[in-house]
């Protein structure tokens, strides 16, 4: 295809406010968690840039799931 694309592979999705601490990794397999709200903001940001046919992974390295109350 001649279309520009971007693949975003988020870690385990958690609910919560955006922290702004999520990290993008290019062409690396990473494991961890990320808030859905941070993923949404990153998608919005990527759509405003040149996509460059990249594959990204996204996690917040220090984020851990909390037990349900």
């Amino acid at each position: 295809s001649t279309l520009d694309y971007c693949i975003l592979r988020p870690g385990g999705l958690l609910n919560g406010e955006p922290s702004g601490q999520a990290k993008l990794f290019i062409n690396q397999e990473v494991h961890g968690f990320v808030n859905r709200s941070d993923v949404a903001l990153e998608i919005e940001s990527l759509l405003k840039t040149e996509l460059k046919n990249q594959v990204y992974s996204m996690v917040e390295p220090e984020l851990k799931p909390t037990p349900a109350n």
Side-chain angles (χ1 to χ4, degrees):
S1 172
T2 59
L3 296 176
D4 286 338
Y5 67 87
C6 170
I7 297 171
L8 180 60
R9 296 179 173 154
L13 296 170
L14 301 175
N15 294 324
E17 295 297 317
S19 68
Q21 301 300 312
K23 307 273 188 248
L24 282 181
F25 299 86
I26 299 173
N27 295 322
Q28 290 184 31
E29 183 177 330
V30 295
H31 301 276
F33 296 92
V34 64
N35 286 324
R36 285 177 171 87
S37 52
D38 282 312
V39 174
L41 291 173
E42 190 59 42
I43 290 170
E44 181 181 36
S45 175
L46 286 169
L47 288 172
K48 295 177 183 177
T49 65
E50 185 179 338
L51 297 180
K52 301 180 184 175
N53 305 338
Q54 293 288 336
V55 178
Y56 298 97
S57 296
M58 183 178 181
V59 297
E60 184 176 333
E62 303 300 318
L63 185 63
K64 305 287 184 238
T66 57
N69 291 332

